[in-house]
Amino acid sequence: MGSLGAILKHPDDFYPLLKLKFAARHAEKQIPPEPHWAFCYSMLHKVSRSFGLVIQQLGPQLRDAVCIFYLVLRALDTVEDDTSIPTEVKVPILMAFHRHIYDKDWHFSCGTKEYKVLMDEFHHVSNAFLELGNGYQEAIEDITMRMGAGMAKFICKEVETIDDYDEYCHYVAGLVGLGLSKLFHASGAEDLATDSLSNSMGLFLQKTNIIRDYLEDINEIPKSRMFWPRQIWSKYVDKLEDLKYEENSAKAVRCLNDMVTNALVHAEDCLKYMSDLRDPAIFRFCAIPQIMAIGTLALCFNNTQVFRGVVKMRRGLTAKVIDRTKTMSDVYGAFFDFSCLLKSKVDNNDPNATKTLSRLEAIQKTCKESGTLSKRKSYIIESESGHNSALIAIIFIILAILYAYLSSNLLPNKQ
């Protein structure tokens, strides 16, 4: 759960955090008994706990297909991300990965921690993949082939222009959006979304991750990973790594804001994609990460901490997003609130201020035109002071009761 300090500052985070904790335990108990499926679902929870929670809401067949799709692409991404693999070894693996998923004996040792386990034990993923329906297998193979080829292309090519940036993000994330749309359609639950909207769903998430992960990527050993396009960063510094130095903080923040403004162009497409979904479980599966993305952009905007450490939403707010995202009106409300937060941080002296404000106003207009904003209470925009002391006292009482209960049940009885 969240830290005690965070809960005291945001006491209404406690209940969603508690629900999230129990949901995580429940999800772990739902792991199938078959060894290959047990490995896949256990690995899913290790590489992405939040994704592992949201996926549990999908129907059984679609859930299995999305689980395997995610792990296959995570394995492909592990090969791409490992900067210790020589190019002449890496490129052929990326290009042939779509064939390896049919090979029950194939594995390749790379990556670290849980990702190394995934690669070493990849035969479990292949075995599970081969049990999926033909429609699911074909969709996963197609996207894996296209993504591997795109990744291989950018192993030998730097991200120079904004068009390069969009192309790279299409290969590593837009294709995920296309693949998921195909899986949703193959399940019979949804109409097939357009490639353009599906692509935007992936690009919005990927660009958010690239912005947030600047410091981790630039400090990668033995070789930096550089995804910010030269067309943007060269307006502010001579080398991309210069953004992390304190003497360049003012330039770094302007560059960061330029990157966030670029990402915002996909938000309206995302809202359109989500508004077309019919299945409640698929809707939540898609909507929660998108809200997390615009929330992360709002936190990163104008924030020098992006170049000093990790910037992410507090766990309590994440728990609220997971708990309270049920309908499209919840999505409109969250996008509106986070765009308001972002808008409040725009400096009129920023060279991109006009463009940033224009994109935020377009998002807000779409949300307002939904006609749902007045029907909900915001959990995102909140007062930083004046928290109800009685509520804090109640939380301490609940914690004390829980502690007493757990202690009486876990400690051995004295004879």
Side-chain angles (χ1 to χ4, degrees):
M1 295 214 328
S3 68
L4 181 59
I7 292 174
L8 289 177
K9 190 175 181 181
H10 305 277
D12 55 340
D13 286 358
F14 179 75
Y15 183 57
L17 279 167
L18 194 61
K19 287 180 71 175
L20 186 64
K21 187 75 172 176
F22 281 115
R25 289 184 178 178
H26 177 73
E28 289 169 0
K29 292 177 182 177
Q30 301 303 305
I31 292 174
E34 300 87 352
H36 52 295
W37 284 109
F39 174 86
C40 290
Y41 276 99
S42 297
M43 187 55 59
L44 181 67
H45 289 297
K46 290 176 182 176
V47 298
S48 179
R49 183 174 290 273
S50 58
F51 188 84
L53 283 174
V54 178
I55 199 178
Q56 290 295 329
Q57 301 170 75
L58 300 175
Q61 290 186 350
L62 181 58
R63 179 171 64 234
D64 287 348
V66 172
C67 173
I68 299 308
F69 184 50
Y70 184 88
L71 291 178
V72 166
L73 299 187
R74 178 58 68 186
L76 185 65
D77 190 56
T78 300
V79 175
E80 186 213 18
D81 282 350
D82 193 330
T83 54
S84 68
I85 304 173
T87 299
E88 63 272 18
V89 175
K90 180 181 291 189
V91 169
I93 293 175
L94 295 173
M95 296 292 289
F97 210 90
H98 64 287
R99 292 195 294 270
H100 295 320
I101 59 179
Y102 286 95
D103 184 350
K104 293 182 179 181
D105 297 319
W106 186 86
H107 63 92
F108 179 76
S109 186
C110 65
T112 60
K113 300 178 182 178
E114 60 268 19
Y115 299 104
K116 186 178 187 307
V117 176
L118 172 63
M119 298 306 299
D120 287 341
E121 304 287 328
F122 193 77
H123 63 278
H124 290 303
V125 180
S126 295
N127 277 302
F129 168 79
L130 292 170
E131 292 182 4
L132 299 176
N134 288 338
Y136 292 135
Q137 286 186 14
E138 289 168 7
I140 293 171
E141 179 189 2
D142 175 58
I143 297 301
T144 304
M145 178 182 67
R146 294 161 67 183
M147 185 179 292
M151 287 177 168
K153 178 179 179 178
F154 277 91
I155 294 297
C156 309
K157 172 185 170 69
E158 289 191 1
V159 179
E160 296 282 348
T161 67
I162 291 173
D163 284 344
D164 289 341
Y165 182 45
D166 286 342
E167 184 183 10
Y168 173 76
C169 290
H170 165 73
Y171 286 134
V172 301
L175 286 173
V176 179
L178 269 66
L180 286 171
S181 293
K182 287 185 175 187
L183 295 179
F184 300 155
H185 181 62
S187 75
E190 300 288 351
D191 294 331
L192 184 60
T194 66
D195 285 358
S196 176
L197 293 180
S198 301
N199 189 58
S200 283
M201 289 285 283
L203 263 63
F204 193 56
L205 299 181
Q206 182 65 19
K207 289 185 175 183
T208 299
N209 291 342
I210 286 173
I211 291 166
R212 181 199 62 199
D213 294 341
Y214 164 84
L215 193 64
E216 178 185 339
D217 289 336
I218 208 71
N219 288 337
E220 180 73 20
I221 296 172
K223 182 182 178 183
S224 295
R225 292 182 292 173
M226 296 185 282
F227 304 119
W228 289 32
R230 183 186 296 271
Q231 187 177 342
I232 290 180
W233 61 257
S234 64
K235 292 187 285 184
Y236 307 96
V237 288
D238 294 328
K239 295 184 292 186
L240 182 57
E241 58 264 34
D242 291 345
L243 294 173
K244 68 180 181 179
Y245 301 123
E246 284 196 39
E247 61 268 26
N248 294 323
S249 291
K251 294 176 182 178
V253 164
R254 289 185 175 184
C255 182
L256 168 64
N257 294 347
D258 203 341
M259 290 288 290
V260 172
T261 301
N262 172 274
L264 289 172
V265 75
H266 305 291
E268 289 174 89
D269 275 357
C270 294
L271 290 171
K272 169 60 177 166
Y273 181 100
M274 290 182 283
S275 70
D276 289 339
L277 294 172
R278 298 192 303 259
D279 185 273
I282 291 175
F283 170 78
R284 276 175 51 79
F285 173 81
C286 294
I288 290 169
Q290 297 295 333
I291 293 175
M292 298 289 292
I294 194 168
T296 300
L297 290 178
L299 291 177
C300 288
F301 190 83
N302 222 28
N303 187 351
T304 55
Q305 189 59 29
V306 170
F307 306 101
R308 308 284 178 266
V310 179
V311 175
K312 61 181 179 180
M313 288 170 56
R314 72 177 191 275
R315 188 157 176 77
L317 184 52
T318 298
K320 284 180 180 176
V321 170
I322 293 172
D323 182 48
R324 302 184 187 184
T325 303
K326 295 180 173 64
T327 67
M328 195 59 208
S329 64
D330 299 324
V331 174
Y332 285 129
F335 266 67
F336 184 83
D337 288 344
F338 278 125
S339 62
C340 285
L341 177 60
L342 208 158
K343 191 175 181 180
S344 71
K345 298 168 73 174
V346 176
D347 181 350
N348 288 330
N349 294 318
D350 188 289
N352 293 286
T354 301
K355 186 186 294 186
T356 307
L357 291 170
S358 174
R359 290 186 178 167
L360 289 170
E361 286 161 6
I363 295 167
Q364 292 176 334
K365 182 174 181 288
T366 299
C367 296
K368 287 177 181 176
E369 289 177 349
S370 72
T372 63
L373 295 184
S374 61
K375 300 175 184 178
R376 46 103 224 185
K377 180 180 178 182
S378 173
Y379 61 89
I380 294 163
I381 307 296
E382 58 184 24
S383 172
E384 291 296 322
S385 59
H387 285 303
N388 191 328
S389 59
L391 184 56
I392 295 175
I394 290 171
I395 288 173
F396 273 112
I397 292 171
I398 293 172
L399 287 172
I401 292 171
L402 284 172
Y403 178 77
Y405 172 79
L406 291 172
S407 297
S408 63
N409 282 273
L410 294 178
L411 291 176
N413 292 325
K414 293 183 179 180
Q415 300 296 327

